[in-house]
Amino acid sequence: MMNDKLEKLIKENRSSFDDLTPPSDMWSNIEGKLATNRKISPKTIIYRISGAAAILIVAIFSYTLVFSDRAQNDQLSAMNNEILETEQYYNLKVLQKKEQVFKLTSSQPEIKKDIEEELALLDTAMLELKNDLKENISNTEVVEAMIQNYRMKLQILEDILQYIEPQEKKETQNDFSNI
């Protein structure tokens, strides 16, 4: 029923639908509406200014965060380098002492095994310290504890060397005196 009325309307007014030229006052109506929309209310101005201020504040805050993080990262990087250098130094010293001890005790594998077990305990403690350091790299107490761990390793190896070297000398003297 609705379709019939629509069809009838279209058939009766077919010629007016085919006319492609718009009414002459259409553009003036559109321009008039655009002109009234261009007038900005004071509230709109306030909202735009406050929005721009908010964006500016967020930009300044973000800029500050980025550069303060960068400065902090530079400090952490320098600290990381110092820690790595310290680790390398002590690892080299420990390795040298271990080689000396193992060379002198090559005929006694049980001593080597005991030393490795003791050093493994200290290595486990070192791993825990490194995990603590990852959580808070600027913690000087953890760094000092790591250095103390390395010093303990060195001290253990030096004590063993002090004990073994005099005995080695006695054995070599006895070997030569028996000749």
Side-chain angles (χ1 to χ4, degrees):
M1 183 173 212
M2 179 81 158
N3 282 340
D4 293 334
K5 288 182 181 181
L6 183 60
E7 270 184 58
K8 183 180 175 187
L9 179 70
I10 291 173
K11 285 180 184 178
E12 289 175 359
N13 297 306
R14 178 89 181 176
S15 63
S16 62
F17 287 130
D18 289 338
D19 186 14
L20 296 178
T21 56
S24 60
D25 63 338
M26 180 182 264
W27 286 114
S28 59
N29 287 340
I30 292 173
E31 286 176 347
K33 288 180 183 178
L34 286 176
T36 58
N37 287 341
R38 285 188 183 155
K39 294 178 185 173
I40 299 174
S41 70
K43 284 185 180 180
T44 305
I45 292 172
I46 291 171
Y47 287 136
R48 287 185 182 174
I49 290 173
S50 61
I55 290 171
L56 183 64
I57 289 171
V58 168
I60 291 171
F61 181 71
S62 299
Y63 180 81
T64 305
L65 273 178
V66 166
F67 281 100
S68 68
D69 281 349
R70 191 171 288 161
Q72 188 176 9
N73 286 341
D74 289 346
Q75 283 180 326
L76 293 178
S77 178
M79 190 170 206
N80 263 343
N81 289 339
E82 288 178 31
I83 292 170
L84 287 174
E85 287 176 14
T86 303
E87 263 188 307
Q88 289 173 345
Y89 170 79
Y90 279 109
N91 280 332
L92 180 65
K93 289 288 189 186
V94 167
L95 184 64
Q96 289 171 345
K97 294 292 180 184
K98 274 174 57 175
E99 286 177 359
Q100 283 180 321
V101 169
F102 291 162
K103 190 183 288 183
L104 292 173
T105 61
S106 60
S107 63
Q108 301 166 327
E110 65 277 351
I111 292 177
K112 181 178 178 181
K113 180 182 173 194
D114 290 342
I115 292 170
E116 286 177 341
E117 287 175 359
E118 289 297 320
L119 294 179
L121 290 173
L122 289 172
D123 288 340
T124 303
M126 179 61 77
L127 287 175
E128 291 175 12
L129 288 170
K130 284 183 179 181
N131 286 336
D132 290 344
L133 192 63
K134 285 180 187 174
E135 293 171 9
N136 185 5
I137 195 159
S138 63
N139 191 341
T140 55
E141 293 173 358
V142 174
V143 174
E144 289 173 9
M146 289 173 69
I147 292 171
Q148 189 63 31
N149 183 294
Y150 284 119
R151 287 180 180 160
M152 285 173 45
K153 278 184 180 180
L154 280 175
Q155 189 61 49
I156 288 170
L157 293 168
E158 287 173 358
D159 289 347
I160 292 170
L161 278 173
Q162 284 180 353
Y163 178 76
I164 292 173
E165 284 177 337
Q167 288 188 357
E168 281 291 316
K169 287 180 184 177
K170 286 180 188 176
E171 287 178 9
T172 53
Q173 286 176 352
N174 287 340
D175 290 341
F176 285 121
S177 63
N178 289 336
I179 300 179

